[in-house]
Amino acid sequence: MENPALTKPAPPEDPVRIDGWIAPAIATVAAVILSYAALMVVLFAFMGPGDCDVHDGCSWGADTTLAVMGTAIRSIPYVTPLGLLVTWVLPWRSRWTAARRRATAFALLPHAVIAASLLPLLVFGS
């Protein structure tokens, strides 16, 4: 005979999210568009920062900002596909929603770094 006090209650079901594909799809489209835009922004940034001449070079702020942008653009081919792969591979269950959002943010992180570097480049580069 089973004692009802000793039985464990059944865990609640984790339903499949029908809208689980929306975040990966938006992130994929945004990553493709932003990757090309980031490449153009970084290439134009390296072409001509303000008052840099051959002997003195650029200011410390412009050099640092260009280094950050260069590192971010070189990390896009590695970070973005990895983050997008994780967003598509994770199960489409409710408990994986937060992890999927974090992977989406991770995939778009280099693009955000490049966008955030534009203002310091404008301030220090001129």
Side-chain angles (χ1 to χ4, degrees), residues 4-77:
L6 296 178
T7 59
K8 293 182 181 177
E13 283 229 11
D14 191 14
V16 174
R17 300 265 321 218
I18 302 297
D19 58 348
W21 60 273
I22 293 175
I26 291 173
T28 302
V29 171
V32 169
I33 293 170
L34 290 175
S35 293
Y36 287 114
L39 179 64
M40 289 189 59
V41 165
V42 171
L43 288 178
F44 281 126
F46 276 105
M47 277 178 29
D51 297 332
C52 296
D53 58 357
V54 177
H55 303 292
D56 293 334
C58 295
S59 68
W60 176 84
D63 280 340
T64 305
T65 306
L66 288 173
V68 167
M69 290 175 85
T71 303
I73 198 72
R74 283 192 294 274
S75 69
I76 286 178

